[in-house]
Every structure is written in structure tokens, then in C-alpha cells.
């Protein structure tokens, strides 16, 4: 088995990962409750600071790191956020479509046993392999486009941007 495919299974869900996933789901529910109350306040001050998220050139200036530089813990966290099917919101399917994967392949990834393979991680490594000049800024931009602000926030937290 090549190292490329070994990497794609690195995000297997252990018991601690499942617990982290439950905690993240609870956190996301709390955030969605709070965001409804704070939406007016947040739109006044934060929009000016986050306008750079709409510009890929600025993102690549702020986050020029190669995708291969993403720490394993952050990648695992992104898998936990983007692997599960969510009735409202975006997940790995929307991300894969945004970076150019065809629907047939996205359906194939969906059919994989998600206990042994992380669909997001598979898409991530395929994107990294097919476009080695892709940066963390590009990743943030794609996550911003599919409105996964929780994932964008975590990346910004890790890279202190």
C-alpha cells in the first residue's frame, strides 16, 4: 500500500475522536443558538476585520503555508467537522464540489465506510497531491465559500491570523 493511501486513513475515529466529535456537535449547537442572538452585534464590528476572507490573494499572503504543513491535530479536527452528514450546512461533499470533484466521485466517497476512511481527509490529500502549490490560504478560502466558519476559525486560531 502506498504512503499516499496510508495517509488517507490517518483520520480513523478512535474513542477519543468520537468523544471529541460529540463535544464539537454540542459546541456547534451552542454556537448556533448564540449566533442568532449576536448576529446584529457581530455584523457591525467583525465584517471589516474579516473582509480579507473574500480575497484569495490576501489569504495567500496571510497564510502562505503549504497544505502539507497542516498539523495532524488540525487535520483530525477538520475531519471531525467536515466528515459527518449535516442536514443543514456544509460538509466534505460541498468542499469537494467547490475544489472541482465530480458528483460521481463525491457519491463514491460518501459510500465508503466512514469508520475506516475519512472522506474529507481523502479529498484533502487528493487536492494536495494534484495541486502541490495549494496553500492553507486556499483551504481557508474554500471553507469560507462553503460557509464553514467554524473550520476557518480553528485554522485562524492555529496559525494565529
Amino acid at each position: 500500500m502506498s504512503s499516499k493511501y496510508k495517509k488517507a486513513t490517518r483520520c480513523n475515529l478512535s474513542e477519543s475522536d468520537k468523544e471529541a466529535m460529540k463535544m464539537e456537535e454540542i459546541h456547534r449547537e451552542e454556537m448556533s443558538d448564540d449566533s442568532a442572538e449576536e448576529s446584529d452585534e457581530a455584523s457591525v464590528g467583525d465584517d471589516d476585520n474579516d473582509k480579507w476572507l473574500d480575497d484569495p490573494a490576501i489569504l495567500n499572503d496571510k497564510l502562505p503555508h503549504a497544505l502539507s504543513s497542516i498539523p495532524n491535530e488540525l487535520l483530525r479536527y477538520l475531519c471531525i467537522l467536515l466528515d459527518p452528514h449535516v442536514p443543514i450546512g456544509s460538509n466534505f461533499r460541498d468542499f469537494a464540489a467547490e475544489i472541482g470533484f465530480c458528483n460521481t466521485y463525491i457519491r463514491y466517497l460518501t459510500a465508503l465506510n466512514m469508520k475506516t476512511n475519512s472522506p474529507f481527509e481523502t479529498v484533502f490529500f487528493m487536492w494536495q497531491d494534484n495541486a502541490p502549490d495549494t496553500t492553507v490560504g486556499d483551504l481557508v478560502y474554500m471553507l469560507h465559500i462553503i460557509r464553514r466558519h467554524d473550520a476557518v476559525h480553528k485554522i485562524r486560531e492555529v496559525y494565529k491570523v
Side-chain angles (χ1 to χ4, degrees), residues 94-110:
D94 301 295
F95 179 80
E98 194 62 43
I99 63 171
F101 280 70
C102 69
N103 277 341
T104 303
Y105 195 74
I106 295 170
R107 283 194 306 270
Y108 167 74
L109 288 174
T110 303

Side-chain angles (χ1 to χ4, degrees), residues 25-104:
E25 186 175 328
I26 291 168
H27 175 68
R28 205 178 318 165
E29 288 173 4
E30 290 171 354
M31 293 293 287
S32 67
D33 292 342
D34 292 343
S35 68
E37 296 169 4
E38 298 173 359
S39 63
D40 293 334
E41 296 169 13
S43 64
V44 172
D46 292 340
D47 283 346
D48 293 334
N49 294 332
D50 291 341
K51 286 194 188 256
W52 58 272
L53 289 171
D54 294 324
D55 188 342
I58 295 174
L59 276 168
N60 283 322
D61 287 342
K62 290 184 177 254
L63 292 164
H65 317 286
L67 284 182
S68 59
S69 73
I70 288 184
N72 289 337
E73 299 81 27
L74 176 57
L75 183 58
R76 185 177 325 127
Y77 190 85
L78 294 174
C79 292
I80 290 169
L81 290 178
L82 293 162
D83 278 348
H85 173 71
V86 287
I88 299 174
S90 302
N91 60 11
F92 82 91
R93 294 169 188 87
D94 301 295
F95 179 80
E98 194 62 43
I99 63 171
F101 280 70
C102 69
N103 277 341
T104 303

